[in-house]
Amino acid sequence: MSNEKVEATALNPRYQEEALKEKAYLIELKKKPPIEKFLGYCRLSGPGFMNAAFTLGAGSFASSVTLGAAYGYDMLWVPLYSFAFGIFMLALAARFVTASDMDVIKAQDKFHGKFIGSFATGLVACFIASIVFNFGQYALGSDALTSMFAILNLNVPKNISWIILVAVSVPLSLMYGSGENPKAVRIVENSMKIMIGIMLVVFGAVICVTGIDFPAMIKGLLLPKLPSGIDGIVTLIASLTATIGVMDWVLFNNGMESRGYSEEHETLGRFDSVFGGLLPVTLVLSLVTIAFAEAFAGKEGIPTTSKELCDALVGVIPSVWIQAGFYIGIIALVCSSMIGLSITCATSFYQCTNVKRDPKAWYHPIVVLAPQIGFLGAFFGKPVAIVVAVAAMQSLFNWISGNSWYLLGNDPRYLGKKVIQSRIFNIGILCCISILNIVFITFIMSKLGAWPE
């Protein structure tokens, strides 16, 4: 074996001591009773929580706030159903990692061409999008920090508060890097779990104040209802794209690679996508939607911006500490998404270029922290025209990349005997891709003003 191959094997997390021990443990875990097996999977979970924390960002929060205020409980189904369909793509990501040593974007390059792999998936839908969308995280996060300090009678303007977001997100982003250090990866995964826990606690405390209509909640979760009018359709599209898309798939894929997942890990990957991904996302966004549904039920003249909506909600919460907690939840939500954007940025950059992934190289911190240019969002807000343009391109390339992933899942050249055998699995992937196609078409129609009122 050449020195290069020996070095590559040594750097591959799959062959490191921690991953090999985990592999042996999983083999034994399969023989255990269901409860013990469940608890074992919970202990090993991580990439799913990374994906959930990434999904729970400014976009999904703003959409849930708006839908809750405008439509009450009717739109609770959006995060549940959209992420549920996305589960099929996350399961496919698990199959790619556990059945092949080839990175998925490189596989797309090899079998479908660099336009679909490096350009559509890597450069546009992941790398550029991760940089542009971080402006929104800083805009929302700095607003939340300034508002929280104001509640505590402290004057900390947005042009200073953003530094706190940097202090939280940058060290964890650099620690994770591109997954070279297994212990650092686990620290970041556990940090994401803590942030999700903070969100659940503080948003749960908020609905203890606002109240909850359980029959309406169950109906809203299980029975899909479409909004009317262009504004409702655009908000619905934003909600769907915030919880299902190629960045989520690539981040989950990378999270499993960073942990050294092998064939024995596939069941764990699927478990994690549900209990670490679907459940936290649905719970957090449902709590947010319910809080705003209760606070604005039956009211006229609902504010139009997320900041105005949040200020109005805080106005009906009597406890200063729950008010502050609400903003802490937003800050946790924003920081977790910022870390995910940095990881996705680095992952896609290295996979779609010929640049060597070297954590000791001078350029590595620059690649990881490229999305931090979004700190300008604290000063100028989101660059709306650029965000819309990138969202439109990402919407298209989500669909293109989704078709490519479906083909890879059924391609023996990539997966050998591990190609998809289940019709239900394939149908689920195709349904997810169809949703992405519908999202793209309706997005373009809405921007052209072609959607009927």
Side-chain angles (χ1 to χ4, degrees):
M1 184 181 292
S2 67
N3 290 335
E4 288 186 1
K5 288 185 177 180
V6 171
E7 182 182 357
T9 300
L11 289 174
N12 190 330
R14 182 178 291 183
Y15 302 106
Q16 293 181 1
E17 182 180 0
E18 188 171 332
L20 293 174
K21 287 182 179 178
E22 193 170 282
K23 176 180 176 180
Y25 175 74
L26 283 168
I27 293 174
E28 292 300 315
L29 192 62
K30 289 181 179 179
K31 306 172 185 176
K32 303 295 182 181
I35 294 179
E36 190 173 343
K37 188 184 299 183
F38 176 84
L39 294 175
Y41 284 149
C42 287
R43 187 175 69 82
L44 294 177
S45 64
F49 283 96
M50 290 285 294
N51 195 60
F54 170 64
T55 301
L56 294 167
S60 58
F61 176 81
S63 300
S64 296
V65 164
T66 305
L67 289 173
Y71 297 98
Y73 288 79
D74 287 347
M75 296 296 123
L76 275 176
W77 63 271
V78 174
L80 172 62
Y81 278 66
S82 57
F83 203 103
F85 277 113
I87 287 289
F88 289 99
M89 301 305 294
L90 299 183
L92 185 57
R95 175 63 57 87
F96 291 163
V97 173
T98 58
S100 174
D101 282 324
M102 187 183 298
D103 294 329
V104 64
I105 293 177
K106 291 180 180 178
Q108 289 179 289
D109 284 345
K110 180 176 180 179
F111 300 115
H112 302 150
K114 289 191 174 183
F115 174 82
I116 291 177
S118 291
F119 181 74
T121 301
L123 183 62
V124 178
C126 289
F127 181 74
I128 293 176
S130 65
I131 294 173
V132 171
F133 292 161
N134 213 31
F135 282 80
Q137 312 303 324
Y138 270 105
L140 176 61
S142 58
D143 265 335
L145 280 163
T146 297
S147 298
M148 182 188 71
F149 285 124
I151 291 171
L152 303 174
N153 297 317
L154 296 173
N155 181 23
V156 181
K158 289 173 60 177
N159 57 5
I160 295 178
S161 63
W162 65 273
I163 298 173
I164 297 175
L165 302 177
V166 173
V168 175
S169 64
V170 167
L172 289 170
S173 298
L174 289 173
M175 183 181 294
Y176 193 96
S178 296
E180 299 83 8
N181 185 337
K183 291 183 179 179
V185 167
R186 292 294 289 184
I187 290 172
V188 176
E189 287 180 350
N190 290 332
S191 298
M192 295 296 224
K193 291 178 182 179
I194 291 171
M195 291 185 195
I196 291 175
I198 291 172
M199 297 176 213
L200 289 171
V201 170
V202 298
F203 294 143
V206 169
I207 67 165
C208 286
V209 175
T210 60
I212 180 172
D213 183 339
F214 284 101
M217 179 191 72
I218 295 172
K219 181 180 178 181
L221 274 172
L222 301 180
L223 300 178
K225 183 177 180 181
L226 294 175
S228 60
I230 185 67
D231 292 336
I233 294 298
V234 171
T235 305
L236 175 61
I237 291 169
S239 301
L240 290 170
T241 54
T243 52
I244 179 174
V246 66
M247 282 203 294
D248 301 272
W249 315 336
V250 170
L251 179 66
F252 188 59
N253 183 273
N254 176 74
M256 291 181 288
E257 285 185 343
S258 300
R259 283 276 300 278
Y261 276 28
S262 55
E263 186 174 350
E264 287 74 17
H265 285 79
E266 185 171 6
T267 302
L268 172 62
R270 294 185 179 185
F271 174 93
D272 205 10
S273 68
V274 176
F275 291 94
L278 174 66
L279 291 184
V281 167
T282 302
L283 283 171
V284 170
L285 295 183
S286 294
L287 291 175
V288 171
T289 302
I290 290 168
F292 283 86
E294 288 290 336
F296 293 92
K299 291 186 178 180
E300 299 291 336
I302 296 175
T304 56
T305 68
S306 294
K307 183 179 186 306
E308 292 172 345
L309 284 162
C310 290
D311 290 343
L313 173 65
V314 169
V316 302
I317 299 174
S319 170
V320 171
W321 295 111
I322 295 180
Q323 292 176 10
F326 170 72
Y327 287 117
I328 290 173
I330 296 177
I331 295 162
L333 177 144
V334 164
C335 287
S336 65
S337 191
M338 291 168 70
I339 295 165
L341 287 168
S342 287
I343 295 169
T344 304
C345 180
T347 299
S348 58
F349 176 83
Y350 288 124
Q351 288 192 27
C352 71
T353 65
N354 291 321
V355 177
K356 182 181 178 181
R357 189 175 72 181
D358 182 359
K360 297 179 181 179
W362 63 269
Y363 52 79
H364 183 70
I366 297 174
V367 174
V368 174
L369 300 180
Q372 295 298 331
I373 188 65
F375 80 90
L376 295 173
F379 296 87
F380 308 111
K382 296 182 293 184
V384 177
I386 297 176
V387 170
V388 170
V390 171
M393 288 191 295
Q394 190 196 36
S395 181
L396 170 61
F397 292 141
N398 275 342
W399 176 65
I400 292 175
S401 187
N403 280 285
S404 173
W405 278 46
Y406 168 75
L407 294 174
L408 286 176
N410 290 273
D411 193 336
R413 295 175 300 171
Y414 181 42
L415 297 181
K417 295 181 179 179
K418 294 293 290 183
V419 292
I420 299 172
Q421 303 290 337
S422 169
R423 290 184 180 180
I424 295 176
F425 195 173
N426 268 326
I427 291 171
I429 295 170
L430 291 173
C431 287
C432 181
I433 295 171
S434 298
I435 291 172
L436 293 173
N437 192 21
I438 293 169
V439 166
F440 169 66
I441 293 171
T442 51
F443 184 93
I444 297 301
M445 288 177 65
S446 68
K447 293 306 172 185
L448 294 175
W451 194 269
E453 291 290 341

